[in-house]
Structures are given as structure tokens and as C-alpha cells.
């Protein structure tokens, strides 16, 4: 019997729409038979917008079954007090995550919250502590980690086929220059900027390959050394970030990861991640958040890897079906949440809270070096909003 996770959706914007569309697709279409999803409630700031969301999303999905039973709440407090909800999905702008997650956890609800989890590391640490104190499940919604691509690229790298990893470059740039100053990527009051919005994806690619195999320990991970350069938009948020991060490895080596993210240009479709090993290299095809394919090239020696006339001794391309049954790609992370709740886990081994905290610590340091602060009411641990 498949275990059913009953979801309550907080906020009705773009990302919630995509996430719910994936929840409405039968998981067996991606060969998942042990868990299922049911959306039981949607909360918005008005009952009208909650009702509108249900009408439009269920229509887009072509689903009628269960639609009438979905509760449409005009306040988040009503959503939190619905005893049928197993887990709240927080899809509000990141400027509001801290307050919304705090309220959900305080009301005793498990939470899956969109990335970036918060605006800064102290807020992330406070929410993680709250979830642990209340013994609730809590996870940052880094969907890329749960896609088949991510497991496979780790398996290939760990097989040693390109030797030891000596450097990784990861990038997500998307051109938002035609957007207005109110757009969430440009607006400082919505915690705009490339880093918090797009930066989690190149970070995730680096984390998958350069952090120790994930464990749900509460011991903090050492924060990589950061050397960053930040360019700003006219609205004062980051338009372009390049950061060199130094990751200590289990064998004592230090390995460079380069994180590039920007909203003033576009990453080439051919390559978003480049892994250099001692005996070859590996390239990942765009997009960084949902890669389509990767190829590795293995050589006898490091000299041959740099020789244009030398053919690799082994090379293989892996292609993925990133959107089975037309899902956006969020389905796999939802499956993980359902399994964790079924098994009584309070965090995911695949997306541990200490790695979420680590990302926020690195992002804080990047912003510090770039002299980039958000309005005080967004950076605070108080609840002015
Ligand atoms: C599901 O499994 C079948 C049989 O192994 C395979 O052909 C198919 O590609 C899989 N579908 C997905 C979306 O993984």
C-alpha cells in the first residue's frame, strides 16, 4: 500500500502552481509506487485567491477527482490548524519564508520550504532549531537533489572513472534584464537578486560533488573559505556573482568550487557544470536546476586529457527524462518528503538541514564581501512583517 502525504499549500504564486501541478500527477508515471500525494488545503491571504488557485491549477492539470474536497483558506492560520494537513509547502517569496515557516512550525506543522530557506544564516539556524525543538520534519525544497540526474552524477564521480575531483565549476545565469524593478529578482524588499534565487542551483551542484556524503548529523559542517565578487543592479541587489569556494576533502586535499550566478546574462545550453578530475573531466548539460544529460571523458593520464590528439579511453553520455508525464521536476522531492514522514524522520538524509545552513553561511559571506545587505526588516530575527 502506498503511503499518502496530505499537503497544505502556503501561497499561490508561480512556484506553488508548478509544485501542485506535480503533486497532481500519479507518481507511478515516474515508477514510484510506495508513496502518493494529496493536496488537501490551500492557504492564501484571501479566500478568493485560494479558490482561484484551485480552479486554475486543477483545470490546468486536467484533474477533477478530489478537487471539491480541497479546503480554500483566506488565512495562513486556518491552514496551520487544519488537522488533515501532514506537511505545509511554503511557496512565498524568500523575504517571507522566515515568518511563514516560523508560524507553521510553531503551529506544530511539518514544513517543506522553497529555497533559499531564508534571507540569512541566523534566520535559517533559528528555524532549524525550532523544528528540532518541536520534533517536526523540516526540509529546504531543493528539487534538483532528488532528480535521477543527481544520484547518477554522484555515482559516476565516486566510481573514480575520472580520478579524484580537483575542481568544479557550476553556473546558473538567467537574463532578467527586461523585467521591471518590482520583479522579485530585482526588488530588494522581496529579497531579490541572483544569489538567493538562482544561486542555490550552482551551490547544489558543488555540494553534490564536493561535500562529504550527506548525513543528518546536527554537527555543523566547516564553512568553505570564500573569495567573492558581486556586481549590483540599479535597484541595489546582486546582478552577478562569482565566488571561489574552497572545500576541504576527506583525504585532506583542498578543492576549488567556482559558483557563478547572474541575472544579466544566460548560461549556455551546452554546459552548466564542469568537473575536472585527475584522469579526465565531466560536463553537464543545462539547465542547472534540471540537467538533461552529462558526459564524462576518461583518459590514461592527466597529460592525455589536455592533448587534443588523444582520444579518451572511455567516454559515456547519460541522458535523463527530466519531465516524465510532463512534471516540472518537483515530484521527486515531494516523494522524499512523503517517505520521510512515513518513516518518522525529522529531516532528509538527501537534503540535510546542516547543508541548508551551510549554504546560507556561504551566501552571507558572499554578500558581506560584496557589501550587499537587504533592508533591515528582512535581515532581522524579529517579526516586523
Ligand atoms: C520506468 O521503468 C521502466 C522499466 O524499467 C523504464 O523503461 C522507464 O523509462 C521508467 N520511467 C521513468 C520515468 O523512470
Amino acid at each position: 500500500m502506498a503511503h499518502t502525504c496530505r499537503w497544505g499549500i502556503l501561497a499561490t504564486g508561480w512556484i506553488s502552481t508548478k509544485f501542485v501541478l506535480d503533486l497532481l500527477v500519479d507518481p507511478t508515471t515516474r515508477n514510484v509506487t510506495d508513496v502518493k500525494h494529496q493536496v488537501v488545503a490551500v492557504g492564501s491571504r484571501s479566500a478568493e485567491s485560494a479558490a482561484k488557485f484551485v480552479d486554475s491549477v486543477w483545470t490546468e492539470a486536467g484533474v477533477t477527482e478530489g478537487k471539491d474536497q480541497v479546503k480554500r483558506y483566506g488565512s495562513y492560520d486556518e491552514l496551520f490548524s487544519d488537522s488533515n494537513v501532514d506537511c505545509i509547502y511554503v511557496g512565498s517569496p524568500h523575504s517571507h519564508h522566515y515568518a511563514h515557516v516560523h508560524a507553521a512550525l510553531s503551529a506544530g506543522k511539518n514544513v517543506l520550504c522553497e529555497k533559499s530557506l531564508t534571507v540569512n544564516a541566523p534566520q535559517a539556524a533559528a528555524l532549524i532549531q525550532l523544528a528540532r525543538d518541536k520534533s517536526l520534519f523540516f526540509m529546504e525544497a531543493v528539487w534538483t537533489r532528488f532528480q535521477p540526474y543527481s544520484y547518477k552524477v554522484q555515482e559516476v564521480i565516486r566510481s573514480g572513472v575520472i580520478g579524484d575531483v580537483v575542481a568544479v565549476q557550476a553556473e546558473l545565469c538567467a537574463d532578467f534584464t527586461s523585467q521591471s524593478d518590482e520583479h522579485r529578482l530585482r526588488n530588494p524588499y522581496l529579497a531579490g537578486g541572483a544569489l538567493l534565487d538562482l544561486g542555490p542551483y550552482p551551490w547544489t551542484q558543488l555540494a553534490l560533488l564536493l561535500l562529504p556524503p550527506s548525513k543528518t548529523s546536527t554537527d555543523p559542517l566547516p564553512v568553505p573559505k570564500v573569495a567573492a565578487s558581486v556586481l549590483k543592479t540599479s535597484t541595489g541587489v546582486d546582478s552577478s556573482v562569482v565566488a571561489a569556494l574552497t572545500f576541504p576533502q576527506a583525504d585532506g586535499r583542498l578543492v576549488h568550487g567556482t559558483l557563478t550566478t547572474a541575472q544579466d546574462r544566460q548560461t549556455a545550453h551546452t554546459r552548466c557544470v564542469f568537473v575536472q578530475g585527475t584522469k579526465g573531466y565531466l560536463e553537464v548539460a543545462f539547465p542547472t536546476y534540471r540537467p538533461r544529460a552529462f558526459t564524462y571523458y576518461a583518459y590514461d593520464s592527466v597529460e592525455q586529457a589536455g592533448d587534443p590528439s588523444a582520444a579518451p579511453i572511455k567516454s559515456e553520455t547519460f541522458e535523463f527524462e527530466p519531465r516524465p508525464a510532463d512534471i516540472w521536476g518537483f515530484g521527486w522531492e515531494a516523494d522524499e518528503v512523503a517517505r520521510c514522514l512515513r518513516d518518522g524522520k525529522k529531516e532528509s538524509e538527501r537534503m540535510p538541514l546542516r547543508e541548508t545552513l551551510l549554504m546560507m553561511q556561504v551566501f552571507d559571506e558572499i554578500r558581506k564581501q560584496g557589501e550587499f545587505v537587504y533592508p533591515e526588516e528582512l535581515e532581522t530575527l524579529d517579526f516586523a512583517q
Side-chain angles (χ1 to χ4, degrees):
M1 270 287 285
H3 173 82
T4 300
C5 182
R6 299 170 305 171
W7 292 90
I9 307 301
L10 185 152
T12 54
W14 183 87
I15 189 86
S16 295
T17 300
K18 302 307 184 208
F19 183 72
V20 171
L21 283 171
D22 277 16
L23 292 181
L24 294 176
V25 172
D26 180 353
T28 61
T29 56
R30 53 184 176 273
N31 293 337
V32 168
T33 54
D34 61 330
V35 289
K36 289 197 291 198
H37 305 284
Q38 190 185 356
V39 181
V40 295
V42 172
S44 184
R45 287 212 196 83
S46 74
E48 294 72 44
S49 74
K52 220 174 108 191
F53 177 87
V54 172
D55 281 340
S56 77
V57 178
W58 267 251
T59 301
E60 187 177 342
V63 170
T64 48
E65 196 194 324
K67 179 183 166 188
D68 292 343
Q69 285 79 53
V70 181
K71 294 282 195 301
R72 289 102 158 144
Y73 294 124
S75 76
Y76 298 144
D77 284 341
E78 287 172 278
L79 178 69
F80 301 150
S81 22
D82 187 329
S83 60
N84 281 323
V85 171
D86 297 321
C87 188
I88 302 279
Y89 167 79
V90 175
S92 49
H94 13 268
S95 48
H96 293 64
H97 288 174
Y98 177 58
H100 290 159
V101 173
H102 196 280
L105 292 170
S106 299
K109 287 300 192 202
N110 301 303
V111 171
L112 172 68
C113 177
E114 269 309 328
K115 45 85 220 157
S116 298
L117 190 80
T118 51
V119 167
N120 57 38
Q123 293 177 345
L127 295 179
I128 290 167
Q129 193 56 50
L130 180 60
R132 286 184 175 148
D133 287 348
K134 297 190 73 94
S135 195
L136 292 164
F137 174 82
F138 186 28
M139 187 177 108
E140 184 186 18
V142 185
W143 50 309
T144 309
R145 288 205 179 215
F146 304 95
Q147 296 164 14
Y149 151 82
S150 295
Y151 293 96
K152 193 69 193 178
V153 77
Q154 287 186 311
E155 184 190 313
V156 166
I157 289 295
R158 284 176 192 157
S159 76
V161 70
I162 63 162
D164 291 331
V165 172
V166 282
V168 182
Q169 303 167 24
E171 162 174 328
L172 178 59
C173 305
D175 193 337
F176 285 87
T177 45
S178 64
Q179 296 296 333
S180 78
D181 289 353
E182 282 72 49
H183 189 275
R184 68 166 211 288
L185 259 104
R186 296 181 56 83
N187 185 345
Y189 290 92
L190 292 177
L195 184 65
L196 290 192
D197 208 272
L198 310 173
Y201 297 109
W203 164 264
T204 294
Q205 300 293 345
L206 298 177
L208 285 169
L209 300 177
L210 295 176
L211 289 180
S214 298
K215 282 194 205 77
T216 57
S217 165
T218 52
D219 296 341
L221 288 159
V223 183
K225 221 175 97 200
V226 175
S229 173
V230 178
L231 304 177
K232 306 243 179 75
T233 63
S234 58
T235 55
V237 301
D238 62 301
S239 67
S240 176
V241 172
V242 178
L245 312 177
T246 308
F247 289 87
Q249 300 299 290
D251 59 9
R253 292 180 308 126
L254 297 176
V255 171
H256 265 160
T258 325
L259 182 154
T260 301
T261 188
Q263 56 169 315
D264 63 354
R265 58 187 185 271
Q266 175 65 46
T267 297
H269 64 89
T270 47
R271 185 170 109 179
C272 59
V273 181
F274 183 60
V275 186
Q276 280 167 295
T278 48
K279 291 193 166 184
Y281 53 97
L282 183 150
E283 291 184 312
V284 180
F286 192 76
T288 326
Y289 45 84
R290 195 179 53 206
R292 290 174 284 118
F294 70 83
T295 303
Y296 74 79
Y297 306 85
Y299 295 84
D300 270 330
S301 67
V302 69
E303 290 75 23
Q304 289 199 352
D307 178 354
S309 67
I313 50 167
K314 205 171 167 202
S315 172
E316 207 172 348
T317 295
F318 297 89
E319 290 186 35
F320 300 92
E321 195 184 345
R323 302 195 51 194
D326 254 0
I327 61 168
W328 288 88
F330 301 101
W332 290 289
E333 84 179 341
D335 299 340
E336 168 77 359
V337 174
R339 290 186 185 114
C340 286
L341 293 180
R342 176 195 65 193
D343 300 341
K345 291 183 182 163
K346 304 307 170 196
E347 67 178 293
S348 160
E349 278 161 35
R350 187 73 187 158
M351 182 64 258
L353 292 166
R354 64 177 187 165
E355 286 196 33
T356 288
L357 180 64
L358 189 69
M359 183 185 88
M360 293 315 306
Q361 289 170 319
V362 167
F363 285 12
D364 278 4
E365 181 59 28
I366 291 172
R367 287 200 295 128
K368 191 175 143 202
Q369 293 182 16
E371 297 176 339
F372 170 25
V373 285
Y374 285 108
E376 168 60 22
E377 59 264 42
L378 267 62
E379 299 267 8
T380 177
L381 284 168
D382 300 334
F383 298 101
Q385 326 174 21

